[in-house]
Amino acid sequence: MSSYALILSDLEQRKCLVVGGGKIAERKCQALIEAGAKPLVISPSLNEGLKALWGQGFLNYLCRPFEVKDLEGKFLVIAATNDKALNSAIATQCKLQGILVNQVSEASEGNCHTPATLRHEGVLLSISTNGQPKLSKCLKENFKGILAALVGASREAITQSNLMR
């Protein structure tokens, strides 16, 4: 597996596409939305969570199968269908066009991963496990309380040190 560099990107004005309408696509959309993106989802159907996000205006939706022309102008694509062959084809096309692609059914076919993230009082902690989502999820759950405690203790220490100057 390739080595990756962690890069934070402002997605607010970037065109992000999620292909798929299930639970994994929903999780990926939630992460994109948290990062300021308004993803376009293309899928013949959506699960209830994605329908709710669409209804609330957090994402755009096209109710149809994916077409290669959908990649035009995209910065980031997430191939999150339940069809491994389609996900592979999307990843291949994205790489040919120089588009960042996260392929959920076979991480090594993509050229980027979306790390698990925790946000607490302006601190962003990213956890990358080179495409091992179960490990990321476990680590994220374990770090939730630790991050809150560390941020609180650090702020307190900074405040006290500023008072002593």
Side-chain angles (χ1 to χ4, degrees):
M1 174 159 284
S2 299
S3 294
Y4 288 87
L6 184 61
I7 298 171
L8 301 176
S9 181
D10 179 359
L11 298 179
E12 199 166 321
Q13 300 298 318
R14 301 288 190 163
K15 292 184 179 182
C16 299
L17 170 64
V18 177
V19 182
K23 190 173 190 88
I24 294 173
E26 178 186 351
R27 184 169 43 84
K28 298 292 186 172
C29 282
Q30 287 172 333
L32 291 171
I33 292 164
E34 278 183 27
K38 186 173 183 177
L40 168 63
V41 176
I42 297 177
S43 178
S45 62
L46 296 178
N47 73 6
E48 292 304 314
L50 284 169
K51 283 180 187 175
L53 291 170
W54 178 46
Q56 295 166 9
F58 289 114
L59 58 85
N60 295 310
Y61 174 52
L62 292 176
C63 180
R64 62 168 174 76
F66 168 80
E67 300 171 11
V68 174
K69 69 179 182 177
D70 296 327
L71 299 177
E72 189 175 311
K74 301 302 183 286
F75 174 74
L76 170 66
V77 174
I78 298 176
T81 74
N82 59 3
D83 181 337
K84 290 181 180 185
L86 177 57
N87 288 346
S88 292
I90 292 169
T92 298
Q93 282 298 314
C94 285
K95 289 192 287 186
L96 287 172
Q97 295 182 41
I99 300 168
L100 291 173
V101 61
N102 175 233
Q103 206 274 56
V104 302
S105 54
E106 187 59 52
S108 64
E109 290 183 5
N111 57 16
C112 71
H113 298 292
T114 54
T117 58
L118 288 169
R119 295 173 191 270
H120 183 79
E121 295 184 21
V123 174
L124 173 64
L125 176 67
S126 293
I127 303 164
S128 175
T129 56
N130 281 333
Q132 299 175 57
K134 289 180 182 178
L135 179 57
S136 291
K137 184 177 181 179
C138 180
L139 289 170
K140 180 178 175 178
E141 289 303 314
N142 285 310
F143 277 117
K144 275 184 182 177
I146 295 169
L147 178 61
L150 283 172
V151 169
S154 296
R155 288 192 195 278
E156 186 176 317
I158 291 168
T159 301
Q160 287 179 356
S161 68
N162 284 341
L163 292 175
M164 295 179 163
R165 286 186 190 178

